[in-house]
């Protein structure tokens, strides 16, 4: 089975969010002796230097795009059993930012077209499936059916289109349909139009692909409703038989508190609780507490667990009051409306009154950046705001925190709650999308209605358990750390889907 997996970003080359995590780990998880998975990415200026040096130039070809013919260089690199192809065009991909350029509509159209042209230049690889991700690659199924159906073998290629976030659809003036896409006077002209004057790339993919997937089962149901459907619920209802939700996993090699190079004091489940053998994990937890922390003659009661050591170091790094008994809440997120930060900023005066700390790592909308920065300036012993995107610090925050807040308005899957749980940090989430599929009363805290009062109630519950029921807190940490969020189960689901589509 040959799978060509395509996305605009992938770890470890370029990552701006969850798509990068998924595209970086899913192909490796799916690939096996029976599944030859290859990944095609744009050769973006943001790719880290050490990977650029390892790439080999293969060939170059021309990509037709409307009336244009554009150069495309092909580079390749093999890593951890997966073959990567990088499509090069300095004009389109050598930009200051990955997304947000004035001509994104043309940049992603070029990329999608080049993915199909690439196949013409691979001697040994005609894919059974092309797996596209988000609106940046949404035109692949459209071009495939409208412009490449005559190419021998291409009619048999099946396409999977995964929606990582329906909010972003790639909508442009319908001028692009003829001028850039070269799809005037084809059925695609109608299928791409979301209104009289707008072309919607994601709508096109959702109509042309063979199967639509979302990154959690709950999100697949939600997008069929007007509240979550972003104007396309009609389409998902129409294609309900070809819509399935498969929960994302996280890369257990990247996110492993025992081997994490960015964490000050790496720790495993056993370090915190003794044997993973569940029987009387609670009792073992207290028995190993002293041993794990290396008591150096101190009484076990006062000894710190390795997680607590990380917490103290994190509090110090962030300039917070250093005290292991103050519950430390964190946010590691894009600071946008989707992430429910209006609830949190509304609650900042309430949080200020409580015995807790809040540290934010994120970039995004100025109103949120300013609100968190304001409170960090006002009371730096309680609040910290790091307005930046910093991998290493995120790892230390997952390790050092007690609670991660994910109060999203909607959440296709969400990775931060799963990563946090692996690090023994309990999630406090709104019950939506993948958050609902991964967090329950035994491994975290949640609230249903998108309402600041309900969120505050959940925060107070978490504070109560932290302060007054330490045994329960430890049990919840144990539960969180032993959840299986690896790619194993999901990779199996994807393999099943590929087999079904390809009729194998
Ligand atoms: P989304 O894709 O909607 O942004 P996800 O929860 O799916 O949200 O994935 C977010 C990913 O980006 C996680 O790996 C998280 O650790 C990372 N991340 C988010 N903001 C930052 C930041 N400011 N610095 C470092 N990593 C971040």
């Amino acid at each position: 089975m040959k799978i060509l997996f395509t996305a605009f970003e992938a770890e470890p080359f370029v990552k701006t969010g969850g798509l990068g995590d998924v595209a970086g780990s899913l192909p490796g998880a799916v690939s096996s002796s029976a599944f030859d998975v290859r990944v095609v990415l744009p050769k973006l200026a943001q790719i880290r230097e050490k990977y650029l040096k390892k790439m080999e130039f293969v060939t170059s070809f021309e990509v037709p795009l409307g009336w244009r013919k554009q150069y495309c260089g092909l580079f390749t690199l093999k890593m951890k059993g997966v073959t990567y192809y990088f499509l090069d065009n300095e004009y389109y991909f050598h930009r200051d930012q990955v997304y947000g350029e004035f001509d994104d509509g043309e940049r992603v159209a070029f990329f999608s077209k080049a993915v199909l042209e690439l196949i013409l230049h691979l001697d040994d690889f005609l894919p059974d499936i092309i797996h596209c991700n988000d609106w940046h690659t949404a035109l692949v199924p459209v071009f495939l059916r409208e412009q490449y159906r005559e190419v021998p073998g291409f009619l048999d290629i099946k396409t999977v289109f995964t929606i990582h976030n329906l909010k972003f659809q790639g909508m442009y003036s319908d001028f692009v349909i003829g001028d850039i896409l070269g799809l005037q006077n084809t059925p695609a002209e109608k299928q791409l139009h979301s209104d009289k004057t707008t072309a919607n790339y994601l709508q096109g993919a959702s109509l042309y692909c063979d199967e639509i997937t979302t990154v959690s089962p709950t999100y697949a149901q939600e997008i069929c409703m007007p509240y979550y459907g972003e104007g396309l619920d009609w389409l998902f209802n129409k294609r309900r038989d070809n819509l399935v939700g498969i929960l994302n996993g996280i890369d257990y090699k990247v996110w492993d508190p025992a081997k994490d190079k960015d964490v000050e004091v790496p720790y495993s489940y056993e370090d915190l609780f003794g044997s993973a053998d569940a029987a009387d994990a609670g009792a073992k937890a207290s028995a190993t507490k002293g041993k794990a922390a290396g008591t150096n003659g101190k009484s076990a009661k006062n000894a710190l667990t390795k997680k607590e050591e990380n917490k103290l170091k994190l509090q110090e790094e962030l300039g917070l009051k250093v005290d292991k008994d103050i519950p430390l809440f964190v946010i590691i997120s894009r600071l946008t409306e989707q992430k429910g930060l209006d609830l949190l900023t509304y609650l900042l005066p309430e949080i200020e009154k409580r015995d807790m700390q809040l540290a934010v790592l994120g970039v995004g909308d100025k109103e949120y950046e300013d609100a968190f920065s304001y409170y960090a300036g006002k009371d730096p012993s309680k609040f910290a705001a790091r307005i930046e995107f910093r991998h290493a610090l995120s790892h230390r925050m997952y390790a050092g925190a007690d609670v991660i807040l994910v109060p999203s308005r909607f959440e296709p899957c969400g990775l931060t709650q799963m990563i946090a749980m692996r690090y023994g940090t309990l999630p406090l989430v709104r019950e939506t999308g993948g958050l609902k599929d991964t967090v329950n009363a035994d491994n975290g805290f949640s609230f249903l209605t998108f309402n600041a009062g309900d969120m505050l109630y959940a925060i107070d519950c978490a504070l109560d358990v932290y302060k007054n029921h330490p045994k329960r807190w430890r049990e919840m940490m144990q539960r969180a750390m032993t959840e299986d969020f690896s790619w194993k189960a999901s990779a199996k689901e994807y393999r099943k889907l590929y087999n079904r589509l390809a009729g194998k």
Side-chain angles (χ1 to χ4, degrees), residues 8 14 41-49 52 55 71 75 87-104 107-108 110-111:
F8 216 70
V14 177
L41 302 164
K43 188 164 172 280
L44 294 164
Q46 289 74 11
I47 292 178
R48 291 166 200 154
E49 185 66 29
L52 288 173
M55 290 177 195
Y71 166 89
F75 288 76
L87 301 177
D88 180 38
N89 178 301
E90 294 255 317
Y91 169 66
Y92 288 126
F93 301 143
H94 207 88
R95 301 287 178 92
D96 291 340
Q97 48 191 357
V98 177
Y99 311 110
E101 297 285 317
F102 76 98
D103 57 347
D104 277 358
R107 294 171 72 221
V108 304
F110 168 78
F111 179 62

Side-chain angles (χ1 to χ4, degrees), residues 15-19 21 165 255 332-334 338-339 361-363 386 388-391 394 398 411 413-417 419:
K15 163 179 154 180
T16 70
L19 173 63
D21 286 278
N165 194 336
W255 302 110
I332 302 165
S333 177
R334 286 184 291 120
Q338 177 203 333
K339 299 295 178 178
L361 172 64
V363 276
R386 293 288 179 271
E388 56 188 330
F389 196 97
R390 199 135 64 90
H391 294 270
S394 75
Y398 286 117
E411 195 57 78
C413 177
L415 300 175
T416 60
Q417 82 281 11
I419 299 169

